[in-house]
Amino acid sequence: MADEKRMLSTFNRLTLVARHLSPNGLSRSPAALISTRRCQSSFATQNLTSNHRRNMYRIEERGAPNTLEHRVYFRNEFGPISPFHDIPLFANHEQKVFNMVVEVPRWTNAKMEICKEEPLNPIKQDVKKGKLRFVANCFPHHGYIWNYGALPQTWENPNIVDERTGCKGDNDPIDVCEIGHRVAKRGDVIQVKVLGTIALIDEGETDWKVMAIDVNDPLASQLNNIEDVEKHMPGFMNATVEWFRIYKIPDGKPPNEFAFNGEAKPREFALEVIEETHEHWKKMVAGQVDCHGVNSTCVSAEGAPCKVSISEAQEIVKKCPELSDGPIIENEVDKWHYSHLQK
């Protein structure tokens, strides 16, 4: 236990040091900080992330894929962690660069998500009526049309009504649609620039969908706000709103609704929403509000009373069966659905 505490102490010190270092590891002078602020809006002349940051986290799969027991746990260099609570929201607070946890790679159908209810919050496949859930292919869309995931250390609070939408939060971390060219892998933790947001009203609950792009994407320097998406990717936002509006229709549900008539709100609006949900998360993980079943077991989140040691986290992971081969996905998942096109 003493060794584990020393390891965590070292990790926390390194984290604090990293916040005051430039990407090349040299201390920033006041002049350098001023220069950074001046070019903050363009993101064009600086490398906002380094390769080691992409490799800071890795996954450990347990159980058999395409079964109810399959889980995707997260690890840092010390051991298992919670992707919900232990991965920081900000990759660079000053430049408003965020960490995104990829749950669903683009073009795939399995509805994978951070499991709020289990210790360490592994990614698992959503279940409906005892069966694994796959999103339908609503022509002409196939699977998810972006890399889909969540912002860690955010929480859409179901205890209060969001004044912007008139609905309470959906009890989840904020969802992110990453629109870059690379098809990510499940469990990737990527650094993203926020461009804006739309507000889905899902069965009476506020469900923010943040639009973002990987800071390393070739288009990242040209996309700085939501209107830039239409300029450089014409039709993409209309396709995004359509996707969210119709994706549940093949399941027999009505079209989804949106706040603001489906209008995408700009970057500054989205940043306010993210900051607010981050504050909600802080209160939730500290046990100050009704958590609505969210499991706050973590390793290092500041203010969390439910921290476990590295060895205890290892034991949590080991309770899940080891990775094994799973069944092949049924062909039904690839079926096209046209019901939303009927007049």
PDB file of all heavy atoms in Angstrom, residues 173-210:
ATOM      1  N   PRO A 173     -22.312  11.488 -18.968  1.00  0.00           N
ATOM      2  CA  PRO A 173     -21.328  12.479 -19.397  1.00  0.00           C
ATOM      3  C   PRO A 173     -21.734  13.042 -20.749  1.00  0.00           C
ATOM      4  O   PRO A 173     -22.514  12.432 -21.487  1.00  0.00           O
ATOM      5  CB  PRO A 173     -20.028  11.668 -19.491  1.00  0.00           C
ATOM      6  CG  PRO A 173     -20.463  10.248 -19.647  1.00  0.00           C
ATOM      7  CD  PRO A 173     -21.761  10.126 -18.920  1.00  0.00           C
ATOM      8  N   ILE A 174     -21.210  14.210 -21.086  1.00  0.00           N
ATOM      9  CA  ILE A 174     -21.579  14.852 -22.356  1.00  0.00           C
ATOM     10  C   ILE A 174     -21.069  14.030 -23.537  1.00  0.00           C
ATOM     11  O   ILE A 174     -19.928  13.573 -23.552  1.00  0.00           O
ATOM     12  CB  ILE A 174     -21.006  16.282 -22.422  1.00  0.00           C
ATOM     13  CG1 ILE A 174     -21.902  17.214 -21.611  1.00  0.00           C
ATOM     14  CG2 ILE A 174     -20.905  16.774 -23.835  1.00  0.00           C
ATOM     15  CD1 ILE A 174     -21.615  18.674 -21.849  1.00  0.00           C
ATOM     16  N   ASP A 175     -21.935  13.858 -24.532  1.00  0.00           N
ATOM     17  CA  ASP A 175     -21.583  13.125 -25.745  1.00  0.00           C
ATOM     18  C   ASP A 175     -20.808  14.024 -26.708  1.00  0.00           C
ATOM     19  O   ASP A 175     -21.060  15.233 -26.786  1.00  0.00           O
ATOM     20  CB  ASP A 175     -22.836  12.608 -26.445  1.00  0.00           C
ATOM     21  CG  ASP A 175     -23.598  11.599 -25.601  1.00  0.00           C
ATOM     22  OD1 ASP A 175     -22.941  10.768 -24.948  1.00  0.00           O
ATOM     23  OD2 ASP A 175     -24.837  11.647 -25.577  1.00  0.00           O
ATOM     24  N   VAL A 176     -19.898  13.414 -27.463  1.00  0.00           N
ATOM     25  CA  VAL A 176     -19.080  14.144 -28.431  1.00  0.00           C
ATOM     26  C   VAL A 176     -19.125  13.440 -29.778  1.00  0.00           C
ATOM     27  O   VAL A 176     -18.996  12.208 -29.862  1.00  0.00           O
ATOM     28  CB  VAL A 176     -17.604  14.229 -27.987  1.00  0.00           C
ATOM     29  CG1 VAL A 176     -16.841  15.186 -28.894  1.00  0.00           C
ATOM     30  CG2 VAL A 176     -17.483  14.674 -26.547  1.00  0.00           C
ATOM     31  N   CYS A 177     -19.299  14.226 -30.827  1.00  0.00           N
ATOM     32  CA  CYS A 177     -19.184  13.734 -32.198  1.00  0.00           C
ATOM     33  C   CYS A 177     -17.895  14.309 -32.774  1.00  0.00           C
ATOM     34  O   CYS A 177     -17.814  15.518 -33.036  1.00  0.00           O
ATOM     35  CB  CYS A 177     -20.374  14.183 -33.045  1.00  0.00           C
ATOM     36  SG  CYS A 177     -21.983  13.686 -32.405  1.00  0.00           S
ATOM     37  N   GLU A 178     -16.883  13.458 -32.959  1.00  0.00           N
ATOM     38  CA  GLU A 178     -15.601  13.919 -33.500  1.00  0.00           C
ATOM     39  C   GLU A 178     -15.629  13.728 -35.006  1.00  0.00           C
ATOM     40  O   GLU A 178     -15.817  12.615 -35.494  1.00  0.00           O
ATOM     41  CB  GLU A 178     -14.456  13.138 -32.854  1.00  0.00           C
ATOM     42  CG  GLU A 178     -13.072  13.724 -33.113  1.00  0.00           C
ATOM     43  CD  GLU A 178     -12.532  13.384 -34.496  1.00  0.00           C
ATOM     44  OE1 GLU A 178     -12.611  12.202 -34.902  1.00  0.00           O
ATOM     45  OE2 GLU A 178     -12.046  14.313 -35.184  1.00  0.00           O
ATOM     46  N   ILE A 179     -15.423  14.807 -35.767  1.00  0.00           N
ATOM     47  CA  ILE A 179     -15.736  14.805 -37.194  1.00  0.00           C
ATOM     48  C   ILE A 179     -14.502  14.765 -38.085  1.00  0.00           C
ATOM     49  O   ILE A 179     -14.604  15.019 -39.287  1.00  0.00           O
ATOM     50  CB  ILE A 179     -16.601  16.029 -37.561  1.00  0.00           C
ATOM     51  CG1 ILE A 179     -15.826  17.336 -37.334  1.00  0.00           C
ATOM     52  CG2 ILE A 179     -17.890  16.023 -36.745  1.00  0.00           C
ATOM     53  CD1 ILE A 179     -16.602  18.581 -37.793  1.00  0.00           C
ATOM     54  N   GLY A 180     -13.345  14.427 -37.531  1.00  0.00           N
ATOM     55  CA  GLY A 180     -12.121  14.376 -38.323  1.00  0.00           C
ATOM     56  C   GLY A 180     -12.105  13.217 -39.304  1.00  0.00           C
ATOM     57  O   GLY A 180     -13.011  12.384 -39.348  1.00  0.00           O
ATOM     58  N   HIS A 181     -11.025  13.128 -40.074  1.00  0.00           N
ATOM     59  CA  HIS A 181     -10.959  12.143 -41.159  1.00  0.00           C
ATOM     60  C   HIS A 181     -10.596  10.746 -40.673  1.00  0.00           C
ATOM     61  O   HIS A 181     -10.906   9.757 -41.337  1.00  0.00           O
ATOM     62  CB  HIS A 181      -9.933  12.593 -42.209  1.00  0.00           C
ATOM     63  CG  HIS A 181      -8.506  12.313 -41.840  1.00  0.00           C
ATOM     64  ND1 HIS A 181      -7.841  13.018 -40.868  1.00  0.00           N
ATOM     65  CD2 HIS A 181      -7.623  11.384 -42.297  1.00  0.00           C
ATOM     66  CE1 HIS A 181      -6.611  12.547 -40.754  1.00  0.00           C
ATOM     67  NE2 HIS A 181      -6.445  11.555 -41.595  1.00  0.00           N
ATOM     68  N   ARG A 182      -9.925  10.633 -39.520  1.00  0.00           N
ATOM     69  CA  ARG A 182      -9.437   9.333 -39.051  1.00  0.00           C
ATOM     70  C   ARG A 182     -10.544   8.552 -38.362  1.00  0.00           C
ATOM     71  O   ARG A 182     -11.279   9.093 -37.542  1.00  0.00           O
ATOM     72  CB  ARG A 182      -8.272   9.529 -38.075  1.00  0.00           C
ATOM     73  CG  ARG A 182      -7.603   8.240 -37.615  1.00  0.00           C
ATOM     74  CD  ARG A 182      -6.450   8.544 -36.667  1.00  0.00           C
ATOM     75  NE  ARG A 182      -6.919   8.912 -35.342  1.00  0.00           N
ATOM     76  CZ  ARG A 182      -7.042   8.061 -34.329  1.00  0.00           C
ATOM     77  NH1 ARG A 182      -6.758   6.783 -34.492  1.00  0.00           N
ATOM     78  NH2 ARG A 182      -7.456   8.496 -33.150  1.00  0.00           N
ATOM     79  N   VAL A 183     -10.653   7.275 -38.697  1.00  0.00           N
ATOM     80  CA  VAL A 183     -11.558   6.394 -37.956  1.00  0.00           C
ATOM     81  C   VAL A 183     -10.816   5.934 -36.706  1.00  0.00           C
ATOM     82  O   VAL A 183      -9.820   5.220 -36.790  1.00  0.00           O
ATOM     83  CB  VAL A 183     -11.989   5.184 -38.807  1.00  0.00           C
ATOM     84  CG1 VAL A 183     -12.872   4.247 -37.994  1.00  0.00           C
ATOM     85  CG2 VAL A 183     -12.730   5.653 -40.053  1.00  0.00           C
ATOM     86  N   ALA A 184     -11.293   6.371 -35.566  1.00  0.00           N
ATOM     87  CA  ALA A 184     -10.627   6.068 -34.300  1.00  0.00           C
ATOM     88  C   ALA A 184     -10.900   4.625 -33.881  1.00  0.00           C
ATOM     89  O   ALA A 184     -11.703   3.911 -34.497  1.00  0.00           O
ATOM     90  CB  ALA A 184     -11.089   7.037 -33.224  1.00  0.00           C
ATOM     91  N   LYS A 185     -10.243   4.215 -32.810  1.00  0.00           N
ATOM     92  CA  LYS A 185     -10.470   2.900 -32.232  1.00  0.00           C
ATOM     93  C   LYS A 185     -11.219   3.046 -30.919  1.00  0.00           C
ATOM     94  O   LYS A 185     -11.068   4.037 -30.209  1.00  0.00           O
ATOM     95  CB  LYS A 185      -9.134   2.183 -31.993  1.00  0.00           C
ATOM     96  CG  LYS A 185      -8.343   1.904 -33.255  1.00  0.00           C
ATOM     97  CD  LYS A 185      -7.014   1.239 -32.912  1.00  0.00           C
ATOM     98  CE  LYS A 185      -6.194   0.973 -34.165  1.00  0.00           C
ATOM     99  NZ  LYS A 185      -4.886   0.360 -33.843  1.00  0.00           N
ATOM    100  N   ARG A 186     -12.030   2.038 -30.612  1.00  0.00           N
ATOM    101  CA  ARG A 186     -12.731   2.060 -29.329  1.00  0.00           C
ATOM    102  C   ARG A 186     -11.716   2.108 -28.191  1.00  0.00           C
ATOM    103  O   ARG A 186     -10.762   1.347 -28.156  1.00  0.00           O
ATOM    104  CB  ARG A 186     -13.622   0.830 -29.186  1.00  0.00           C
ATOM    105  CG  ARG A 186     -14.425   0.795 -27.884  1.00  0.00           C
ATOM    106  CD  ARG A 186     -15.427  -0.330 -27.883  1.00  0.00           C
ATOM    107  NE  ARG A 186     -16.384  -0.145 -28.962  1.00  0.00           N
ATOM    108  CZ  ARG A 186     -16.548  -0.991 -29.976  1.00  0.00           C
ATOM    109  NH1 ARG A 186     -15.808  -2.075 -30.046  1.00  0.00           N
ATOM    110  NH2 ARG A 186     -17.437  -0.748 -30.907  1.00  0.00           N
ATOM    111  N   GLY A 187     -11.923   3.048 -27.272  1.00  0.00           N
ATOM    112  CA  GLY A 187     -11.005   3.196 -26.152  1.00  0.00           C
ATOM    113  C   GLY A 187      -9.919   4.230 -26.383  1.00  0.00           C
ATOM    114  O   GLY A 187      -9.167   4.542 -25.456  1.00  0.00           O
ATOM    115  N   ASP A 188      -9.820   4.785 -27.594  1.00  0.00           N
ATOM    116  CA  ASP A 188      -8.873   5.869 -27.815  1.00  0.00           C
ATOM    117  C   ASP A 188      -9.231   7.054 -26.920  1.00  0.00           C
ATOM    118  O   ASP A 188     -10.418   7.342 -26.691  1.00  0.00           O
ATOM    119  CB  ASP A 188      -8.914   6.343 -29.278  1.00  0.00           C
ATOM    120  CG  ASP A 188      -8.099   5.473 -30.215  1.00  0.00           C
ATOM    121  OD1 ASP A 188      -7.417   4.553 -29.731  1.00  0.00           O
ATOM    122  OD2 ASP A 188      -8.147   5.723 -31.441  1.00  0.00           O
ATOM    123  N   VAL A 189      -8.218   7.734 -26.433  1.00  0.00           N
ATOM    124  CA  VAL A 189      -8.415   9.010 -25.745  1.00  0.00           C
ATOM    125  C   VAL A 189      -7.729  10.051 -26.609  1.00  0.00           C
ATOM    126  O   VAL A 189      -6.503  10.075 -26.724  1.00  0.00           O
ATOM    127  CB  VAL A 189      -7.816   8.997 -24.325  1.00  0.00           C
ATOM    128  CG1 VAL A 189      -8.024  10.358 -23.651  1.00  0.00           C
ATOM    129  CG2 VAL A 189      -8.458   7.894 -23.489  1.00  0.00           C
ATOM    130  N   ILE A 190      -8.532  10.877 -27.265  1.00  0.00           N
ATOM    131  CA  ILE A 190      -7.989  11.835 -28.225  1.00  0.00           C
ATOM    132  C   ILE A 190      -8.254  13.253 -27.731  1.00  0.00           C
ATOM    133  O   ILE A 190      -9.181  13.503 -26.960  1.00  0.00           O
ATOM    134  CB  ILE A 190      -8.581  11.627 -29.638  1.00  0.00           C
ATOM    135  CG1 ILE A 190     -10.107  11.791 -29.635  1.00  0.00           C
ATOM    136  CG2 ILE A 190      -8.208  10.259 -30.179  1.00  0.00           C
ATOM    137  CD1 ILE A 190     -10.729  11.644 -31.016  1.00  0.00           C
ATOM    138  N   GLN A 191      -7.420  14.164 -28.193  1.00  0.00           N
ATOM    139  CA  GLN A 191      -7.554  15.564 -27.794  1.00  0.00           C
ATOM    140  C   GLN A 191      -8.324  16.296 -28.888  1.00  0.00           C
ATOM    141  O   GLN A 191      -7.971  16.212 -30.071  1.00  0.00           O
ATOM    142  CB  GLN A 191      -6.175  16.194 -27.586  1.00  0.00           C
ATOM    143  CG  GLN A 191      -5.485  15.714 -26.316  1.00  0.00           C
ATOM    144  CD  GLN A 191      -5.039  14.259 -26.389  1.00  0.00           C
ATOM    145  OE1 GLN A 191      -4.333  13.866 -27.319  1.00  0.00           O
ATOM    146  NE2 GLN A 191      -5.475  13.448 -25.439  1.00  0.00           N
ATOM    147  N   VAL A 192      -9.357  17.023 -28.483  1.00  0.00           N
ATOM    148  CA  VAL A 192     -10.262  17.629 -29.446  1.00  0.00           C
ATOM    149  C   VAL A 192     -10.465  19.114 -29.192  1.00  0.00           C
ATOM    150  O   VAL A 192     -10.339  19.600 -28.065  1.00  0.00           O
ATOM    151  CB  VAL A 192     -11.642  16.918 -29.454  1.00  0.00           C
ATOM    152  CG1 VAL A 192     -11.509  15.462 -29.852  1.00  0.00           C
ATOM    153  CG2 VAL A 192     -12.335  17.050 -28.102  1.00  0.00           C
ATOM    154  N   LYS A 193     -10.764  19.803 -30.287  1.00  0.00           N
ATOM    155  CA  LYS A 193     -11.176  21.201 -30.256  1.00  0.00           C
ATOM    156  C   LYS A 193     -12.694  21.249 -30.412  1.00  0.00           C
ATOM    157  O   LYS A 193     -13.249  20.682 -31.362  1.00  0.00           O
ATOM    158  CB  LYS A 193     -10.523  21.979 -31.398  1.00  0.00           C
ATOM    159  CG  LYS A 193     -10.861  23.469 -31.418  1.00  0.00           C
ATOM    160  CD  LYS A 193     -10.691  24.080 -32.795  1.00  0.00           C
ATOM    161  CE  LYS A 193      -9.307  23.928 -33.352  1.00  0.00           C
ATOM    162  NZ  LYS A 193      -9.129  24.738 -34.590  1.00  0.00           N
ATOM    163  N   VAL A 194     -13.374  21.922 -29.508  1.00  0.00           N
ATOM    164  CA  VAL A 194     -14.830  22.024 -29.559  1.00  0.00           C
ATOM    165  C   VAL A 194     -15.230  23.096 -30.564  1.00  0.00           C
ATOM    166  O   VAL A 194     -14.662  24.190 -30.602  1.00  0.00           O
ATOM    167  CB  VAL A 194     -15.392  22.358 -28.160  1.00  0.00           C
ATOM    168  CG1 VAL A 194     -16.850  22.796 -28.239  1.00  0.00           C
ATOM    169  CG2 VAL A 194     -15.247  21.143 -27.237  1.00  0.00           C
ATOM    170  N   LEU A 195     -16.242  22.774 -31.389  1.00  0.00           N
ATOM    171  CA  LEU A 195     -16.710  23.685 -32.426  1.00  0.00           C
ATOM    172  C   LEU A 195     -18.101  24.236 -32.141  1.00  0.00           C
ATOM    173  O   LEU A 195     -18.441  25.332 -32.596  1.00  0.00           O
ATOM    174  CB  LEU A 195     -16.723  22.966 -33.777  1.00  0.00           C
ATOM    175  CG  LEU A 195     -15.391  22.333 -34.204  1.00  0.00           C
ATOM    176  CD1 LEU A 195     -15.587  21.509 -35.466  1.00  0.00           C
ATOM    177  CD2 LEU A 195     -14.328  23.397 -34.402  1.00  0.00           C
ATOM    178  N   GLY A 196     -18.921  23.491 -31.431  1.00  0.00           N
ATOM    179  CA  GLY A 196     -20.285  23.906 -31.142  1.00  0.00           C
ATOM    180  C   GLY A 196     -21.057  22.750 -30.556  1.00  0.00           C
ATOM    181  O   GLY A 196     -20.483  21.717 -30.180  1.00  0.00           O
ATOM    182  N   THR A 197     -22.373  22.891 -30.493  1.00  0.00           N
ATOM    183  CA  THR A 197     -23.192  21.816 -29.926  1.00  0.00           C
ATOM    184  C   THR A 197     -24.626  21.909 -30.429  1.00  0.00           C
ATOM    185  O   THR A 197     -25.104  22.980 -30.807  1.00  0.00           O
ATOM    186  CB  THR A 197     -23.191  21.874 -28.382  1.00  0.00           C
ATOM    187  OG1 THR A 197     -23.855  20.738 -27.850  1.00  0.00           O
ATOM    188  CG2 THR A 197     -23.883  23.129 -27.868  1.00  0.00           C
ATOM    189  N   ILE A 198     -25.277  20.763 -30.471  1.00  0.00           N
ATOM    190  CA  ILE A 198     -26.725  20.718 -30.664  1.00  0.00           C
ATOM    191  C   ILE A 198     -27.335  20.090 -29.417  1.00  0.00           C
ATOM    192  O   ILE A 198     -26.643  19.402 -28.660  1.00  0.00           O
ATOM    193  CB  ILE A 198     -27.129  19.921 -31.924  1.00  0.00           C
ATOM    194  CG1 ILE A 198     -26.552  18.506 -31.897  1.00  0.00           C
ATOM    195  CG2 ILE A 198     -26.689  20.647 -33.184  1.00  0.00           C
ATOM    196  CD1 ILE A 198     -26.966  17.655 -33.091  1.00  0.00           C
ATOM    197  N   ALA A 199     -28.603  20.360 -29.201  1.00  0.00           N
ATOM    198  CA  ALA A 199     -29.274  19.892 -27.983  1.00  0.00           C
ATOM    199  C   ALA A 199     -30.399  18.933 -28.358  1.00  0.00           C
ATOM    200  O   ALA A 199     -31.485  19.355 -28.745  1.00  0.00           O
ATOM    201  CB  ALA A 199     -29.815  21.063 -27.172  1.00  0.00           C
ATOM    202  N   LEU A 200     -30.127  17.650 -28.252  1.00  0.00           N
ATOM    203  CA  LEU A 200     -31.160  16.637 -28.474  1.00  0.00           C
ATOM    204  C   LEU A 200     -32.042  16.551 -27.232  1.00  0.00           C
ATOM    205  O   LEU A 200     -31.553  16.601 -26.105  1.00  0.00           O
ATOM    206  CB  LEU A 200     -30.494  15.287 -28.736  1.00  0.00           C
ATOM    207  CG  LEU A 200     -31.404  14.082 -29.001  1.00  0.00           C
ATOM    208  CD1 LEU A 200     -32.123  14.241 -30.332  1.00  0.00           C
ATOM    209  CD2 LEU A 200     -30.577  12.795 -29.003  1.00  0.00           C
ATOM    210  N   ILE A 201     -33.324  16.445 -27.432  1.00  0.00           N
ATOM    211  CA  ILE A 201     -34.255  16.178 -26.335  1.00  0.00           C
ATOM    212  C   ILE A 201     -34.669  14.728 -26.463  1.00  0.00           C
ATOM    213  O   ILE A 201     -35.479  14.358 -27.316  1.00  0.00           O
ATOM    214  CB  ILE A 201     -35.481  17.111 -26.381  1.00  0.00           C
ATOM    215  CG1 ILE A 201     -35.032  18.577 -26.389  1.00  0.00           C
ATOM    216  CG2 ILE A 201     -36.387  16.832 -25.183  1.00  0.00           C
ATOM    217  CD1 ILE A 201     -34.180  18.991 -25.211  1.00  0.00           C
ATOM    218  N   ASP A 202     -34.068  13.882 -25.646  1.00  0.00           N
ATOM    219  CA  ASP A 202     -34.236  12.436 -25.746  1.00  0.00           C
ATOM    220  C   ASP A 202     -35.178  11.955 -24.647  1.00  0.00           C
ATOM    221  O   ASP A 202     -34.812  11.902 -23.469  1.00  0.00           O
ATOM    222  CB  ASP A 202     -32.876  11.749 -25.617  1.00  0.00           C
ATOM    223  CG  ASP A 202     -32.927  10.274 -25.989  1.00  0.00           C
ATOM    224  OD1 ASP A 202     -34.036   9.753 -26.205  1.00  0.00           O
ATOM    225  OD2 ASP A 202     -31.862   9.642 -26.056  1.00  0.00           O
ATOM    226  N   GLU A 203     -36.409  11.632 -25.058  1.00  0.00           N
ATOM    227  CA  GLU A 203     -37.429  11.165 -24.120  1.00  0.00           C
ATOM    228  C   GLU A 203     -37.570  12.118 -22.940  1.00  0.00           C
ATOM    229  O   GLU A 203     -37.634  11.717 -21.773  1.00  0.00           O
ATOM    230  CB  GLU A 203     -37.112   9.738 -23.664  1.00  0.00           C
ATOM    231  CG  GLU A 203     -37.089   8.743 -24.816  1.00  0.00           C
ATOM    232  CD  GLU A 203     -36.833   7.307 -24.386  1.00  0.00           C
ATOM    233  OE1 GLU A 203     -36.803   7.061 -23.163  1.00  0.00           O
ATOM    234  OE2 GLU A 203     -36.670   6.450 -25.269  1.00  0.00           O
ATOM    235  N   GLY A 204     -37.589  13.415 -23.261  1.00  0.00           N
ATOM    236  CA  GLY A 204     -37.834  14.446 -22.257  1.00  0.00           C
ATOM    237  C   GLY A 204     -36.611  14.892 -21.481  1.00  0.00           C
ATOM    238  O   GLY A 204     -36.724  15.705 -20.560  1.00  0.00           O
ATOM    239  N   GLU A 205     -35.414  14.411 -21.861  1.00  0.00           N
ATOM    240  CA  GLU A 205     -34.194  14.785 -21.154  1.00  0.00           C
ATOM    241  C   GLU A 205     -33.233  15.516 -22.079  1.00  0.00           C
ATOM    242  O   GLU A 205     -33.171  15.232 -23.277  1.00  0.00           O
ATOM    243  CB  GLU A 205     -33.499  13.538 -20.584  1.00  0.00           C
ATOM    244  CG  GLU A 205     -34.328  12.790 -19.552  1.00  0.00           C
ATOM    245  CD  GLU A 205     -33.651  11.517 -19.093  1.00  0.00           C
ATOM    246  OE1 GLU A 205     -32.908  10.901 -19.884  1.00  0.00           O
ATOM    247  OE2 GLU A 205     -33.874  11.124 -17.934  1.00  0.00           O
ATOM    248  N   THR A 206     -32.474  16.460 -21.503  1.00  0.00           N
ATOM    249  CA  THR A 206     -31.459  17.177 -22.269  1.00  0.00           C
ATOM    250  C   THR A 206     -30.279  16.258 -22.547  1.00  0.00           C
ATOM    251  O   THR A 206     -29.725  15.642 -21.638  1.00  0.00           O
ATOM    252  CB  THR A 206     -30.962  18.409 -21.490  1.00  0.00           C
ATOM    253  OG1 THR A 206     -32.066  19.272 -21.217  1.00  0.00           O
ATOM    254  CG2 THR A 206     -29.915  19.169 -22.298  1.00  0.00           C
ATOM    255  N   ASP A 207     -29.887  16.174 -23.814  1.00  0.00           N
ATOM    256  CA  ASP A 207     -28.790  15.298 -24.218  1.00  0.00           C
ATOM    257  C   ASP A 207     -27.904  16.076 -25.197  1.00  0.00           C
ATOM    258  O   ASP A 207     -28.082  16.001 -26.404  1.00  0.00           O
ATOM    259  CB  ASP A 207     -29.357  14.031 -24.872  1.00  0.00           C
ATOM    260  CG  ASP A 207     -28.305  12.975 -25.134  1.00  0.00           C
ATOM    261  OD1 ASP A 207     -27.145  13.191 -24.747  1.00  0.00           O
ATOM    262  OD2 ASP A 207     -28.638  11.940 -25.729  1.00  0.00           O
ATOM    263  N   TRP A 208     -26.956  16.837 -24.646  1.00  0.00           N
ATOM    264  CA  TRP A 208     -26.080  17.658 -25.479  1.00  0.00           C
ATOM    265  C   TRP A 208     -25.208  16.785 -26.370  1.00  0.00           C
ATOM    266  O   TRP A 208     -24.685  15.749 -25.939  1.00  0.00           O
ATOM    267  CB  TRP A 208     -25.187  18.542 -24.613  1.00  0.00           C
ATOM    268  CG  TRP A 208     -25.916  19.563 -23.813  1.00  0.00           C
ATOM    269  CD1 TRP A 208     -26.192  19.533 -22.479  1.00  0.00           C
ATOM    270  CD2 TRP A 208     -26.494  20.780 -24.310  1.00  0.00           C
ATOM    271  NE1 TRP A 208     -26.892  20.645 -22.108  1.00  0.00           N
ATOM    272  CE2 TRP A 208     -27.099  21.431 -23.204  1.00  0.00           C
ATOM    273  CE3 TRP A 208     -26.559  21.377 -25.562  1.00  0.00           C
ATOM    274  CZ2 TRP A 208     -27.748  22.658 -23.335  1.00  0.00           C
ATOM    275  CZ3 TRP A 208     -27.214  22.591 -25.687  1.00  0.00           C
ATOM    276  CH2 TRP A 208     -27.796  23.226 -24.585  1.00  0.00           C
ATOM    277  N   LYS A 209     -25.038  17.198 -27.610  1.00  0.00           N
ATOM    278  CA  LYS A 209     -24.153  16.540 -28.567  1.00  0.00           C
ATOM    279  C   LYS A 209     -23.126  17.576 -29.020  1.00  0.00           C
ATOM    280  O   LYS A 209     -23.415  18.463 -29.839  1.00  0.00           O
ATOM    281  CB  LYS A 209     -24.933  16.010 -29.778  1.00  0.00           C
ATOM    282  CG  LYS A 209     -26.112  15.113 -29.421  1.00  0.00           C
ATOM    283  CD  LYS A 209     -25.670  13.827 -28.731  1.00  0.00           C
ATOM    284  CE  LYS A 209     -26.869  12.918 -28.448  1.00  0.00           C
ATOM    285  NZ  LYS A 209     -26.486  11.690 -27.708  1.00  0.00           N
ATOM    286  N   VAL A 210     -21.931  17.476 -28.460  1.00  0.00           N
ATOM    287  CA  VAL A 210     -20.878  18.437 -28.763  1.00  0.00           C
ATOM    288  C   VAL A 210     -20.192  18.043 -30.074  1.00  0.00           C
ATOM    289  O   VAL A 210     -19.820  16.877 -30.266  1.00  0.00           O
ATOM    290  CB  VAL A 210     -19.849  18.487 -27.612  1.00  0.00           C
ATOM    291  CG1 VAL A 210     -18.606  19.273 -28.024  1.00  0.00           C
ATOM    292  CG2 VAL A 210     -20.476  19.108 -26.373  1.00  0.00           C
TER     293      VAL A 210
END
